[in-house]
Amino acid sequence: MLLYQQIKQYITKLIDDKQQGVKLPSERQLLEKFNSSRITVREALFRMETEGLIYRQNRKGWFVSPARLRWNPVKKVNYYQLAKEQGFTPNTQLVAINHGKAATVVYQAFEQTSSEIFWEVYRVRSLDERPVMLEEIYCQQRVFPQLHDKALEGSITTLFSQDYNIAICSEQSSIHVTALPDDKAELLNLNAGSPCIKIIRKRFCPQQRLIDYNIEYWVHGAIEIVVESY
Amino acid sequence: MLLYQQIKQYITKLIDDKQQGVKLPSERQLLEKFNSSRITVREALFRMETEGLIYRQNRKGWFVSPARLRWNPVKKVNYYQLAKEQGFTPNTQLVAINHGKAATVVYQAFEQTSSEIFWEVYRVRSLDERPVMLEEIYCQQRVFPQLHDKALEGSITTLFSQDYNIAICSEQSSIHVTALPDDKAELLNLNAGSPCIKIIRKRFCPQQRLIDYNIEYWVHGAIEIVVESY
DNA sequence: CAGTGGTCTAGACCACGAT
DNA sequence: TCGTGGTCTAGACCACTGG
């Protein structure tokens, strides 16, 4: 068996013994244990990261992945409710709120000319203190005046409904796998280049007008997508 | 800027110039161009693989990823129809059909005792000659006698319906990201350890009895999942 | 056969984290 | 300050592909 596979096997055993979220031995400790080199040790670690079994925090070390959050993109369930039902302690942190010009894709999605001003809200969502998702929300400033004065840590849907009387009625999501970009990784305290799930979501009001445009980056090992059809 | 980022930038430009599916320069050519080492060149290539922009075939080289297939897991659309609508030439290849004992998860899903015999069908699906998905299908031998004599390259749903008069009416899918296992990678002519999308699907008849249990491994850069909700 | 990627060694220097 | 991972070098041998 290849050396990196032996190392994988060893770490797999460690994971079984350890609690979720616990730190693994350092790369240099593993290297000495197997009389190997860092390249080979990291080969094993990266594979297990891709498998979603472990994750790393920038320069802090490697950790055992907790259980995945099961999420149904079709059912519009509140994040807090969903997380609590599955035994997690959820949290949302507002990272930034800006207004001004947005990226071209946003103008295209809203079918607006480039004079339109957009809110850009960045939020990080965590499960049991572990950042698992970075969210970018775009919506029109003239539709949501004074948005920066609102409490932005809760459900945006509820906020839209209660403070602006705007209901979300349908949505379209596009999901694909990519690598965490540098700027998003930094906000999540993770490493750029790790696999992640990117979800682009458009949400509409009953009149089919686009209300908000959403980009979510999920730590790939933190989520499982569940879909039913009849 | 970091060296591997410069190499990424260079390859990104190459991709813009090249046709989909075209081969990239070899690792050693890139290494010489940047007076670098293979480790660094491969760092750039692996990141772009995770981004879904390029892919590799075992010991053959690195290639530019073609466009993604857009797929809606809720709408039960035929693979051939879907692929053709999006301008691909689809193909299915039967890799193996066995019968006997299955894995424990299969027995659990079917709620059967271990005396039950299952068919195990392996198929590889391609788009424009590029293998993009490996499928494992499990179903009960006594429900589908003589399955091995049937044409297994087409739609299984149609086969169940026409040859066995069994309709599929609802399904449950679980989607997550993982690494391509060694044995699946081999069948796809790809490399173990690359990110992939694993879809576990259970399909039921109108009486809510489980008809087949399906595991799909998608080359992650080959697919985009689209979901709508109302 | 030459060329490709797959695996692996034995180092190095750096930025940043924990303390 | 020391330990961590992040980046990088300059090689090596091997299995397999393709001509």
Side-chain angles (χ1 to χ4, degrees):
Chain A
M1 188 166 50
L2 298 172
L3 184 48
Y4 76 81
Q5 289 174 332
Q6 295 174 34
I7 300 174
K8 272 187 63 175
Q9 212 170 52
Y10 172 74
I11 300 171
T12 304
K13 258 190 220 156
L14 281 187
I15 293 177
D16 290 340
D17 299 343
K18 284 183 188 288
Q19 301 279 329
Q20 297 176 350
V22 159
K23 196 168 180 304
L24 291 174
S26 76
E27 295 178 3
R28 284 168 179 86
Q29 283 171 336
L30 289 167
L31 167 175
E32 280 182 26
K33 179 164 185 70
F34 286 90
N35 291 314
S36 180
S37 64
R38 271 186 78 199
I39 299 290
T40 306
V41 166
R42 285 166 70 82
E43 176 74 32
L45 291 166
F46 285 133
R47 293 221 179 194
M48 297 186 70
E49 180 190 45
T50 300
E51 289 169 14
L53 299 173
I54 62 178
Y55 69 100
R56 52 191 166 134
Q57 284 190 311
N58 207 351
R59 292 177 209 275
K60 284 189 192 166
W62 294 86
F63 302 85
V64 180
S65 293
R68 294 174 190 255
L69 179 73
R70 290 185 305 284
W71 173 68
N72 187 331
V74 176
K75 288 184 185 165
K76 291 191 279 294
V77 179
N78 181 289
Y79 171 73
Y80 288 90
Q81 189 189 330
L82 188 73
K84 282 182 193 158
E85 276 171 11
Q86 295 179 33
F88 295 101
T89 304
N91 188 42
T92 306
Q93 194 189 337
L94 179 66
V95 175
I97 172 163
N98 311 311
H99 65 284
K101 306 286 181 203
T104 311
V105 282
V106 177
Y107 286 96
Q108 287 169 351
F110 280 89
E111 298 175 359
Q112 293 289 333
T113 62
S114 59
S115 62
E116 187 73 14
I117 302 294
F118 283 94
W119 291 112
E120 177 187 54
V121 179
Y122 282 89
R123 308 196 298 182
V124 169
R125 296 201 135 163
S126 307
L127 294 174
D128 302 332
E129 312 278 307
R130 171 194 181 201
V132 292
M133 189 258 272
L134 172 75
E135 185 180 25
E136 285 173 59
I137 304 169
Y138 295 92
C139 57
Q140 290 163 277
Q141 192 190 33
R142 62 185 169 87
V143 178
F144 298 102
Q146 308 303 317
L147 187 66
H148 59 302
D149 292 336
K150 310 289 184 185
L152 289 165
E153 279 83 12
S155 159
I156 285 283
T157 316
T158 307
L159 178 70
F160 285 178
S161 158
Q162 292 187 349
D163 290 34
Y164 297 95
N165 200 31
I166 291 177
I168 299 292
C169 122
S170 67
E171 58 184 60
Q172 286 175 10
S173 304
S174 159
I175 304 170
H176 65 269
V177 180
T178 187
L180 210 47
D182 295 42
D183 53 330
K184 321 299 177 194
E186 201 174 344
L187 293 169
L188 285 166
N189 218 341
L190 296 175
N191 293 78
S194 306
C196 72
I197 299 178
K198 181 177 180 177
I199 304 178
I200 300 171
R201 180 180 296 120
K202 297 178 192 172
R203 307 199 302 160
F204 301 89
C205 70
Q207 293 78 38
Q208 298 308 310
R209 205 159 54 81
L210 182 59
I211 300 302
D212 74 334
Y213 183 91
N214 242 296
I215 305 175
E216 293 177 3
Y217 293 90
W218 283 88
V219 177
H220 85 287
I223 185 178
E224 172 182 350
I225 299 170
V226 178
V227 174
E228 291 162 2
S229 71
Y230 301 98
Chain B
M1 189 166 52
L2 298 173
L3 185 47
Y4 77 80
Q5 290 174 331
Q6 295 173 34
I7 301 176
K8 272 188 64 177
Q9 212 170 50
Y10 172 76
I11 299 171
T12 304
K13 259 190 218 155
L14 281 187
I15 292 177
D16 290 339
D17 300 342
K18 284 184 188 287
Q19 301 278 330
Q20 296 177 349
V22 158
K23 196 169 180 304
L24 291 173
S26 77
E27 295 177 4
R28 284 167 180 86
Q29 284 171 337
L30 289 167
L31 166 174
E32 281 183 25
K33 179 162 187 71
F34 286 89
N35 290 313
S36 179
S37 65
R38 272 186 78 198
I39 299 288
T40 307
V41 166
R42 285 166 71 83
E43 176 73 31
L45 291 165
F46 284 133
R47 292 221 179 193
M48 297 186 70
E49 180 190 45
T50 299
E51 289 169 14
L53 299 172
I54 62 177
Y55 68 100
R56 52 192 165 135
Q57 285 190 311
N58 206 351
R59 291 176 210 274
K60 284 188 191 168
W62 294 86
F63 302 85
V64 180
S65 293
R68 292 174 191 255
L69 180 73
R70 290 186 306 282
W71 173 69
N72 187 330
V74 175
K75 288 183 183 164
K76 292 191 279 295
V77 179
N78 181 289
Y79 171 73
Y80 287 91
Q81 188 189 330
L82 188 72
K84 281 182 192 158
E85 276 171 10
Q86 295 179 33
F88 295 101
T89 304
N91 188 43
T92 305
Q93 195 189 335
L94 179 67
V95 175
I97 172 164
N98 311 310
H99 65 283
K101 306 285 179 204
T104 311
V105 282
V106 177
Y107 286 98
Q108 286 169 350
F110 280 91
E111 298 174 358
Q112 293 289 332
T113 63
S114 60
S115 61
E116 187 74 15
I117 302 294
F118 283 93
W119 292 111
E120 177 186 54
V121 180
Y122 282 89
R123 309 196 296 182
V124 169
R125 296 201 135 161
S126 307
L127 295 173
D128 302 332
E129 312 277 308
R130 172 192 179 201
V132 292
M133 189 257 275
L134 173 75
E135 185 179 25
E136 285 173 59
I137 304 169
Y138 295 92
C139 57
Q140 290 164 276
Q141 192 190 35
R142 61 187 168 86
V143 178
F144 298 102
Q146 307 304 315
L147 187 67
H148 59 300
D149 292 336
K150 309 290 183 184
L152 289 166
E153 279 83 11
S155 159
I156 285 283
T157 316
T158 308
L159 177 69
F160 285 177
S161 157
Q162 292 187 350
D163 291 35
Y164 296 95
N165 199 32
I166 291 178
I168 299 291
C169 122
S170 66
E171 59 185 59
Q172 285 174 11
S173 303
S174 158
I175 304 170
H176 65 268
V177 179
T178 187
L180 210 48
D182 295 43
D183 53 329
K184 321 298 177 192
E186 201 174 345
L187 293 169
L188 285 165
N189 218 342
L190 295 175
N191 293 78
S194 306
C196 72
I197 299 177
K198 181 175 181 178
I199 303 178
I200 300 171
R201 182 181 292 119
K202 296 177 191 173
R203 306 200 303 161
F204 301 88
C205 70
Q207 292 78 39
Q208 299 306 312
R209 205 158 55 81
L210 182 59
I211 300 302
D212 73 335
Y213 183 91
N214 241 296
I215 305 175
E216 294 177 3
Y217 293 90
W218 285 88
V219 177
H220 84 288
I223 185 177
E224 173 182 350
I225 299 171
V226 178
V227 174
E228 291 161 3
S229 70
Y230 303 97

